[in-house]
Amino acid sequence: MTTLYAMPSTAAMAPHILLREIGAPFDLVLLDRDKAEHKRADYLALNPHGRVPTLVDGDLVLYEAAAICLHLADAHPEARLAPAVGTPERAAFYKWLVYLTNSVQADMLLYFYPERYVEGADAQAAFKRVAEARLNDQFDGLDRALGGREWMLDGGYSAVDPYLFMLCRWTRFMRRPARSLPNLGPYLARVLERPAVKAAFAAEGLAAPYV
């Protein structure tokens, strides 16, 4: 049996959606942040960093959301969530997934947790403004990339799409949320209509606004 350890609306969302897209049976274990369940000894034995998500797939224990997404796409080729290895389409798949996790998601952490990087309220506010400006530039680029496309890759819906959707969701309370951009707005509405996304939101107990 496959088990995904998660918290609602965290980096576990993209793997959670992918598991529902695949349709294979899995257990979802929602950890309680307020009870620090992600710091319990039994969980740290799986993920010594004490973060989510963690995937247990048979004997395999895997963490880092992008790595889990890659594994799920490769382990379930019948779901067609990634292009064939060695193709130009696969290279584009790598490009976008790595960009999302290494650039956009990294700057999200700067925006949401400035206290981890600088001291003092004024310095943290300035730090957050810089991170927000960087994110605005990144989402502008993603919006341009979506021009004339239904999904991020030419070949159709892939593991890149729930990952982008997840990051866009995190902007929903920012001054310029991703949904306000001309291509990302309709794109997010399309993702929201997918049954797997609706099921993941229901399982995580999430309420509007969704993005």
Side-chain angles (χ1 to χ4, degrees):
M1 175 62 76
T2 300
T3 302
L4 179 70
Y5 292 86
M7 291 178 185
S9 197
T10 63
M13 176 174 283
H16 184 189
I17 292 171
L18 284 184
L19 281 165
R20 294 188 181 276
E21 290 281 356
I22 290 165
F26 72 98
D27 284 336
L28 177 68
V29 178
L30 291 176
L31 302 177
D32 190 325
R33 187 191 301 273
D34 293 337
K35 295 180 180 178
E37 291 182 341
H38 57 304
K39 301 299 183 182
R40 293 184 325 202
D42 59 339
Y43 184 70
L44 291 174
L46 296 173
N47 186 335
H49 304 290
R51 300 174 182 172
V52 293
T54 299
L55 183 79
V56 179
D57 189 1
D59 294 331
L60 174 69
V61 178
L62 189 63
Y63 44 84
E64 293 299 324
I68 293 171
C69 289
L70 283 167
H71 167 69
L72 291 174
D74 287 343
H76 298 275
E78 74 283 355
R80 299 182 180 275
L81 292 168
V85 173
T87 63
E89 292 79 13
R90 182 73 173 210
F93 172 77
Y94 289 142
K95 175 188 73 174
W96 285 120
L97 191 59
V98 172
Y99 176 71
L100 291 174
T101 188
N102 192 59
S103 296
V104 183
Q105 189 172 356
D107 281 351
M108 286 282 191
L109 294 177
L110 303 182
Y111 175 84
F112 284 113
Y113 303 105
E115 70 280 0
R116 296 179 181 177
Y117 306 96
V118 294
E119 296 181 353
D122 290 344
Q124 289 168 11
F127 189 89
K128 190 166 184 170
R129 285 194 297 272
V130 171
E132 185 174 19
R134 287 169 58 92
L135 288 166
N136 285 341
D137 286 344
Q138 290 164 346
F139 281 105
D140 281 341
L142 290 162
D143 188 74
R144 288 192 296 270
L146 270 168
R149 295 174 177 267
E150 184 178 16
W151 308 113
M152 281 301 293
L153 299 184
D154 288 335
Y157 188 85
S158 73
V160 170
D161 294 299
Y163 214 100
L164 175 55
F165 175 84
M166 175 182 75
L167 298 180
C168 288
R169 172 177 162 78
W170 296 351
T171 73
R172 67 194 183 282
F173 297 124
M174 292 183 182
R175 286 179 289 186
R176 199 189 67 163
R179 66 175 181 271
S180 67
L181 299 179
N183 296 313
L184 274 168
Y187 167 81
L188 295 173
R190 289 194 293 275
V191 179
L192 271 172
E193 286 302 309
R194 296 185 72 86
V197 176
K198 293 180 179 180
F201 271 59
E204 294 188 19
L206 302 177
Y210 297 123
V211 291

